[in-house]
Amino acid sequence: MRPAPRGIRPMHEHTATAMGVQGCPVCTAVLPIGTPYCARCGTHGHTLERAGMTWNGSMQRTWAWLLTSVLLYLPANFLPIMYTRTWGNLRESTILGGVLTLWGHGSYPIAIVIFVASVLVPVGKIVILVWLCLSVQLRYKSARRYKTRLYRITEFVGRWSMVDVFVVGILVALIRLGNVMTILPGPAALAFAGMVFTTMLAAGSFDPRLLWVREA
Amino acid sequence: MGVTDFPAVHIACHECDLLVALPVLRPGQHAYCPRCNFLLTANRPDSQSKIFAYSIASLICLALANLFPFITLNARGMEQSVTLLGSVAILATEDHRLLAAVVFASIAVIPALLLCGLVYVSVAIRIGRELPGARTCLRWTIALAPWNMAEIFLIGILVSFIKIVSLADVELGLSFWAYALFTFGVVLVSLNFDRRELWDLLDAARAAGHSSHA
Ligand SMILES: [Zn+2]
Ligand SMILES: [Zn+2]
């Protein structure tokens, strides 16, 4: 599926930064470093600040989003994500509680889907991003290819955590059988959605080129 | 060293900053970064026509998905049928407006804006003229792309479907299938999407427009 790069050789052993240029992240134009505005696509601001590979801007934003996502992940797990009201009884369920209930009912495939999307992916994503940030800041240079691939996977799978929020939304909209059974969303649903968005913003703020900077 | 020393055939790897000289790609060829293996760009046959066609088809499917019942639920003689917009409205009335807005934006508004943007850019490319705002439009399309969650919502529907099956009879309505097709179209569009190629084509459209005016 992924052929080795055919016919492509690096022009020099040089990075764009070493040649005094930078790639526009939006339209891939090659611009002189420090250009505040890309004439080809009209991008400006911190999207173009990538030049010069200073880790300050990128790292600060990544850490800030990561911290926010951790703070949102706590209520997302401990507060109820969904209330089920049957004949006047109100039962609340958390994310993990929901997974355990599904497992107990023998719905192993959905239990696994929800567990992976709501627990494994977000926690894994936060851990990987923290590790990548630390390895940039501590100038820990090994396994760059591997780390870049991890970053790529993190960026790709992040959105899939939203599954559980959508499930809650659909159940709320659908199961409104008056006294028999009504489902209401809990505060964790919004916290969890916020957590997914902030981890996506954290991954987007992280600049993987920093993993490849040679000189300290 | 000035910018003119690096004509359009060079590309700086987005993920490791290597400056790569791009060869001319044959149809079906993909160019990966030799250092970090990032997909730099690709020559996908007919990708422009495909983006144009799939975008229009998906938009039609999304419009259809609003017309019919989405899911119908039968439990103890009570029948409940919701539409796509109706379900968002229910979420909003239960005093969870922010949640409703987040869900609606990520499953319908953002993907629809994305597709409209691509249709507009495609028209500009196809008629060979730079339409007003085409560049801004493509820039926004690229910025919005990560926030489209249509295909994730589809998985969400299937998961909730399996969850409810034990409680009640559920029937997937016509709108569900329209939405599934819409999602499929969005995925096909994203598989054919290459930002470098689209900007190159817009540049070519601008050049063609200038030469025809002259
Ligand atoms: Zn640009
Ligand atoms: Zn690279």
Side-chain angles (χ1 to χ4, degrees), chain B residues 13-18 33-38 40:
Chain B
C13 176
H14 185 72
E15 298 206 336
C16 78
D17 202 42
L18 191 73
C33 173
R35 185 157 78 156
C36 75
N37 210 31
F38 178 69
L40 295 168

Side-chain angles (χ1 to χ4, degrees), chain A residues 134-151:
Chain A
L134 286 178
S135 72
V136 167
Q137 293 194 321
L138 302 177
R139 317 234 195 283
Y140 179 63
K141 296 281 171 58
S142 68
R144 289 161 161 166
R145 262 182 99 98
Y146 174 68
K147 280 187 249 177
T148 309
R149 190 179 312 153
L150 264 186
Y151 170 74

Side-chain angles (χ1 to χ4, degrees), chain A residues 1-23 25-28 30-32 39-43 50 53 82 87 102 110 113-114 145 148 151-152 155 159-160 162-167 169-178 180-181 184-186 189-190 193 196-197 200-201 207-209 212 214, chain B residues 1-3 6-7 10-23 25-26 28-40 71-73 75-76 78 80 82 87-88 90-91 94 96 98-99 102-103 106-107 135-136 139 142 145-153 155-157 159-160 162-164 167 170 195-196 199-200 203 206:
Chain A
M1 188 64 198
R2 276 202 156 203
R6 269 169 295 176
I8 295 169
R9 298 281 173 274
M11 187 175 68
H12 326 270
E13 273 303 298
H14 283 312
T15 60
T17 307
M19 302 299 288
V21 292
Q22 60 170 325
V26 177
C27 72
T28 74
V30 176
L31 311 164
R40 189 189 199 194
C41 68
T43 299
R50 285 166 50 98
M53 306 274 255
M82 198 167 83
W87 303 114
L102 280 169
I110 328 174
V113 167
I114 298 289
R145 262 182 99 98
T148 309
Y151 170 74
R152 219 167 280 158
E155 219 187 5
R159 308 179 310 136
W160 288 92
M162 280 294 279
V163 166
D164 213 19
V165 176
F166 291 148
V167 169
I170 295 162
L171 293 182
V172 170
L174 207 58
I175 304 197
R176 299 184 318 126
L177 303 166
V180 183
M181 192 188 230
L184 296 166
L190 204 55
V196 176
F197 291 144
M200 282 171 70
L201 289 165
D207 188 343
R209 301 178 309 164
W212 294 85
R214 277 219 185 88
Chain B
M1 198 164 276
V3 69
F6 299 100
H10 286 104
I11 190 167
C13 176
H14 185 72
E15 298 206 336
C16 78
D17 202 42
L18 191 73
L19 197 59
V20 180
L22 280 178
L25 298 174
R26 286 195 305 274
Q29 266 191 330
H30 297 238
Y32 294 94
C33 173
R35 185 157 78 156
C36 75
N37 210 31
F38 178 69
L39 176 59
L40 295 168
I71 299 182
T72 308
L73 185 91
R76 304 181 200 187
M78 295 169 90
Q80 195 111 45
V82 288
S87 57
V88 175
I90 290 165
L91 256 188
E94 305 279 359
H96 294 91
L98 192 54
L99 186 65
V102 165
V103 170
S106 54
I107 67 165
R135 271 160 207 273
T136 314
R139 201 171 70 232
I142 289 170
W147 305 99
N148 147 49
M149 303 206 176
E151 67 270 38
I152 298 154
F153 184 60
I155 302 295
I157 297 169
V159 168
S160 10
I162 303 169
K163 268 190 163 182
I164 307 170
L167 300 171
V170 250
R195 59 180 74 188
R196 184 181 181 85
W199 285 108
D200 282 349
D203 281 349
R206 173 151 72 183

Side-chain angles (χ1 to χ4, degrees), chain B residues 77-149:
Chain B
M78 295 169 90
E79 196 179 270
Q80 195 111 45
S81 183
V82 288
T83 59
L84 191 58
L85 282 175
S87 57
V88 175
I90 290 165
L91 256 188
T93 51
E94 305 279 359
D95 231 0
H96 294 91
R97 291 204 174 78
L98 192 54
L99 186 65
V102 165
V103 170
F104 189 54
S106 54
I107 67 165
V109 178
I110 288 174
L113 285 175
L114 256 172
L115 295 173
C116 290
L118 283 174
V119 168
Y120 188 67
V121 170
S122 300
V123 168
I125 289 169
R126 300 178 85 77
I127 64 173
R129 262 190 35 222
E130 172 132 327
L131 295 173
R135 271 160 207 273
T136 314
C137 195
L138 183 52
R139 201 171 70 232
W140 276 99
T141 305
I142 289 170
L144 281 178
W147 305 99
N148 147 49
M149 303 206 176

